[in-house]
Amino acid sequence: MERIEHRACFGGWQDVYRHDSAVLGCTMNFAVYLPSQAEKARLPVLYWLSGLTCTEQNFITKAGVQRYAAEHGVIVVAPDTSPRGEGVADDPAYDLGQGAGFYLNATQQPWAAHYRMHDYVAEELPALIEAGFPANGVRGISGHSMGGHGALTIALRQPGRYRSVSAFAPIVAPAQVPWGEKAFAAYLGPDRADWARYDATELLKTATERLPLLVDQGQADEFLAVQLKPELLREACAKADHPLTLRLHPGYDHSYYFVASFIGEHMAWHVRAMKG
């Protein structure tokens, strides 16, 4: 690993590292916030997954999470949203290719060689963090939009790996909305049975762990009716008897103003679960 950014923040350090990912076959950046408590103890880690077009920078510069991580003594890790670089497949559209990895393992060409963000987030990155930083092996996961989809699906696909999960304005049923249909057809092919493995509403049908879900959604979100459809998550959780706290907020849109407004409450949710 190479540290490429190092900034004092709320008594701790906001860093960005670069490393060669064996899973993705490219060089990746990830951000790590280390609160002051990390100097003396091993701490739980909250993984944050960002949305379409984002990098690791959007969350660490706009959400204000460092204040709450410092207060509660939590390491926060925010990876990039997709593989990047020369030789990595891309597309001119914002919702496919670099910046739009959808946190899945692609099976179709030309994407399959690099687009394995599920395994990167669930396996390679935590192994790297727990070997190189004062992490105690307790994990939570959260995210926004495409990243909210990633947080929900990775937690549902990996029972026992995370102590807590939450999401802001997640794509809850990607197999039923335009963003997901486009990405899944490209990355996974035409068989919708393969799509179900990365759709939270489908995964809830066979979930073996009842990890409580916290989801916040702005009611002024321009993507609410067509791309996000939180009512589908509510219905799926009700049918599966899966615990869900779905909070709808009048006036809030899809931006980081929304995320920043409630990130402290999400951190408290994760801390209660991660620290018992």
Side-chain angles (χ1 to χ4, degrees):
M1 293 185 295
E2 175 191 5
R3 191 171 67 189
I4 59 175
E5 294 185 23
H6 185 57
R7 294 184 171 90
C9 187
F10 288 99
W13 295 98
Q14 180 60 69
D15 296 340
V16 177
Y17 286 83
R18 180 173 294 151
H19 77 113
D20 293 329
S21 167
V23 168
L24 302 178
C26 67
T27 300
M28 291 291 286
N29 290 350
F30 63 88
V32 179
Y33 179 71
L34 294 171
S36 60
Q37 296 93 324
E39 298 176 2
K40 297 180 179 180
R42 292 190 171 273
L43 305 176
V45 179
L46 177 63
Y47 291 86
W48 173 269
L49 307 182
S50 291
L52 289 166
T53 76
C54 292
T55 70
E56 77 287 343
Q57 293 292 325
N58 298 73
F59 180 64
I60 65 175
T61 59
K62 295 180 179 180
V65 70
Q66 295 90 345
R67 170 186 174 183
Y68 304 104
E71 176 184 345
H72 294 291
V74 175
I75 297 170
V76 179
V77 175
D80 201 348
T81 54
S82 77
R84 305 219 185 228
E86 293 185 13
V88 175
D90 199 7
D91 188 273
Y94 77 95
D95 53 358
L96 189 67
Q98 295 187 30
F102 269 86
Y103 303 102
L104 50 74
N105 293 337
T107 59
Q108 304 299 301
Q109 297 301 330
W111 313 103
H114 299 284
Y115 283 73
R116 302 186 60 81
M117 287 297 294
H118 176 277
D119 284 358
Y120 178 73
V121 170
E123 298 176 12
E124 185 179 25
L125 185 58
L128 189 67
I129 295 298
E130 289 163 23
F133 297 89
N136 64 10
V138 175
R139 312 176 194 97
I141 190 166
S142 186
H144 173 234
S145 193
M146 178 185 71
H149 143 76
L152 295 175
T153 56
I154 290 173
L156 289 168
R157 284 169 56 92
Q158 300 281 340
R161 180 168 286 271
Y162 300 95
R163 196 75 62 84
S164 56
V165 59
S166 73
F168 291 82
I171 307 170
V172 302
Q176 301 182 54
V177 301
W179 274 340
E181 289 177 324
K182 178 180 179 178
F184 284 10
Y187 296 143
L188 302 173
D191 189 345
R192 286 179 173 263
D194 294 331
W195 298 11
R197 298 167 55 235
Y198 298 101
D199 185 307
T201 61
E202 293 293 329
L203 290 168
L204 283 163
K205 296 176 181 179
T206 56
T208 59
E209 180 183 40
R210 291 294 183 261
L211 192 64
L213 311 180
L214 171 63
V215 174
D216 277 358
Q217 174 64 61
Q219 290 183 302
D221 191 319
E222 63 268 40
F223 304 113
L224 178 60
V226 176
Q227 304 283 13
L228 305 179
K229 299 188 175 184
E231 67 276 6
L232 297 180
L233 181 66
R234 182 192 285 120
E235 293 168 6
C237 284
K239 289 180 180 178
D241 194 26
H242 196 105
L244 167 68
T245 301
L246 174 60
R247 309 191 303 181
L248 304 177
H249 302 279
Y252 285 91
D253 62 14
H254 199 69
S255 71
Y256 266 92
Y257 294 110
F258 167 54
V259 173
S261 297
F262 300 102
I263 192 66
E265 295 175 26
H266 279 243
M267 179 62 79
W269 165 276
H270 289 278
V271 167
R272 285 193 293 270
M274 292 194 295
K275 294 191 174 183

